[in-house]
Amino acid sequence: MMGQEHLRNIALIEGAQVAAIFEPDAGMRAQAQALAPMAQFHDTLDSLLATDKLDALLIASPNYLHVDQIARIAASRPLPLLVEKPVFTDPAHFDTLRALDYGAPLWVAMEYRYMPPVAAFVQQAQQVTGGIKMLSIREHRFPFLPKIGDWNRFNRNTGGTLVEKCCHFFDLMRLIMKDNPVRIMASGGQDANHLDERYDGAQPDIWDNAYVIVDFARGARAMLELCMFAEGARYQEEITAVGPDARIECLVPGPGRFWPAHLGAPPIPQLIVSPRNPKGPRQMEVPVDPALLDAGDHNGSTFYQHARFADVVRGRGKVDVSLSDGLWAVQMGLAAQHSARTGQAVRLNADGRIDTCAPANDTA
């Protein structure tokens, strides 16, 4: 699904063309070929990397494959690389990636930054609030979708829900706060989704709801509320920041293809500023180009991300989301998973290292 969203959005970038694709699943390969009919298809990653006239690479494979594929590309042909989140899932790979000398621009795909309402929120939040003291992010959404081989049903493949899904929100927290976390506390579990499913006799163990509290180095705090059995909500994401001067909030609807037709047009994203003095909320619509909404499920953000990545490939832009940013986001998710399992707060060091963290599939 995400690979196809990338294909649709690359097609909207002037002067860009998909040259080669490695897609081992026959059904997905046929759909990708329909979206990129000029692309050469390859049976191995090595064959793809040997293709002439490549300018950049994109990884949109299952989470647990990212680290090995990055390493193989780095050793063979380190072209500018856009790699989907999460950049890793196994705590043992943190040091591996920190030591990586990739040799070309490497961008971690945190497309939530580029949703127009979220981008407007990020741009204004610190100034409007007079300095953020509290930040909350709520995502009430649909359950995990079916994926090839059902890989996303198990923590061992995804890193856990607070890594797989929520690294986006931990990345936003650091971006909005302009600060790093020092302590994380969480509670989460699997209470409604996938309980009756079995794959080779195994029940999925992926969580579907959680609360996470994050303390930041300069004293501000943030909270994440995730619920993946709440697709009846009008808005999928609600982001709120509060400081001594005002509150600002951002309301973002989910994918338009999931909006019930009998309810009419889908909601338009909102930005609301509520000053303390003089009181009086100011509400602004932040519409998204319909063509971009049709190209994916992320409110146009995938297009804007690709446009900025294309500038990097063409030598006239800089990487917005570095490997370090991607590592921080995963570490925050792993810390939250560990806190929820153990009931203990988890501390993070200045370099993002977790003081104590069990493997992602540890259910103790």
Side-chain angles (χ1 to χ4, degrees):
M1 182 208 74
M2 199 62 212
Q4 291 168 31
E5 180 166 326
H6 282 294
L7 293 178
R8 288 192 295 271
N9 281 275
I10 291 170
L12 299 176
I13 302 298
E14 184 176 357
Q17 179 178 318
V18 177
I21 299 175
F22 166 47
E23 169 55 83
D25 181 82
M28 294 297 98
R29 185 168 177 152
Q31 293 187 38
Q33 192 164 25
L35 292 170
M38 302 301 292
Q40 298 177 6
F41 281 80
H42 294 263
D43 294 328
T44 67
L45 176 58
D46 291 338
S47 173
L48 181 145
L49 292 175
T51 304
D52 292 337
K53 298 181 180 178
L54 291 182
D55 299 309
L57 298 166
L58 163 70
I59 293 176
S61 57
N63 300 354
Y64 61 93
L65 297 174
H66 293 174
V67 172
D68 177 67
Q69 290 174 343
I70 292 169
R72 290 168 63 187
I73 294 166
S76 173
R77 196 174 179 186
L79 293 167
L81 174 63
L82 178 65
V83 56
E84 263 298 339
K85 61 79 194 168
V87 69
F88 74 103
T89 59
D90 185 339
H93 288 150
F94 174 69
D95 286 330
T96 301
L97 288 174
R98 282 190 75 229
L100 177 70
D101 181 11
Y102 182 71
L106 193 161
W107 183 311
V108 180
M110 294 291 188
E111 55 267 357
Y112 279 45
R113 291 183 177 210
Y114 304 101
M115 293 180 179
V118 175
F121 178 96
V122 172
Q123 185 178 30
Q124 298 180 39
Q126 287 287 357
Q127 183 174 358
V128 163
T129 61
I132 299 170
K133 301 302 180 185
M134 301 178 71
L135 172 69
S136 67
I137 300 177
R138 171 188 287 175
E139 181 172 66
H140 282 191
R141 57 161 280 167
F142 50 92
F144 281 114
L145 298 172
K147 295 291 178 74
I148 298 300
D150 307 300
W151 68 267
N152 66 337
R153 293 308 199 250
F154 297 95
N155 290 330
R156 65 178 180 270
N157 297 328
T158 68
T161 298
L162 300 183
V163 172
E164 205 290 328
K165 184 72 206 73
C166 300
C167 62
H168 276 304
F169 303 123
F170 299 132
D171 176 66
L172 283 178
M173 286 180 183
R174 289 184 63 246
L175 177 68
I176 293 166
M177 293 295 204
K178 298 179 172 58
D179 198 6
N180 287 329
V182 293
R183 186 173 65 156
I184 292 180
M185 297 159 282
S187 175
Q190 181 187 14
D191 295 311
N193 297 341
H194 318 303
L195 297 174
D196 297 328
E197 298 174 10
R198 297 294 183 274
Y199 302 97
D200 294 327
Q203 178 180 325
D205 60 1
I206 198 76
W207 296 355
D208 55 25
N209 70 101
Y211 290 104
V212 182
I213 296 174
V214 183
D215 290 338
F216 282 82
R218 292 197 295 269
R221 54 188 58 89
M223 184 185 76
L224 169 67
E225 176 186 330
L226 173 72
C227 180
M228 298 188 70
F229 43 91
E231 60 266 43
R234 182 170 181 81
Y235 292 101
Q236 181 168 288
E237 285 89 24
E238 303 177 16
I239 307 175
T240 303
V242 186
D245 294 345
R247 181 176 100 158
I248 182 171
E249 56 190 312
C250 171
L251 307 177
V252 184
R257 65 192 175 106
F258 295 151
W259 184 253
H262 72 273
L263 295 179
I268 296 174
Q270 305 281 331
L271 194 68
I272 305 169
V273 177
S274 303
R276 296 179 71 189
N277 185 26
K279 295 182 179 69
R282 302 191 303 273
Q283 184 171 316
M284 295 150 278
E285 291 186 344
V286 187
V288 180
D289 185 335
L292 302 186
L293 292 176
D294 289 342
D297 288 341
H298 297 87
N299 281 273
S301 60
T302 304
F303 170 79
Y304 293 113
Q305 177 178 255
H306 271 293
R308 296 178 71 89
F309 179 64
D311 283 342
V312 171
V313 175
R314 291 164 174 155
R316 58 177 189 238
K318 66 178 183 64
V319 171
D320 286 350
V321 190
S322 67
L323 178 57
S324 176
D325 292 323
L327 295 177
W328 269 105
V330 172
Q331 289 291 88
M332 293 174 72
L334 290 171
Q337 292 274 147
H338 186 71
S339 175
R341 283 194 302 264
T342 64
Q344 302 295 317
V346 175
R347 294 192 175 275
L348 292 95
N349 298 329
D351 62 356
R353 191 177 301 278
I354 298 171
D355 280 346
T356 303
C357 189
N361 62 353
D362 179 10
T363 58

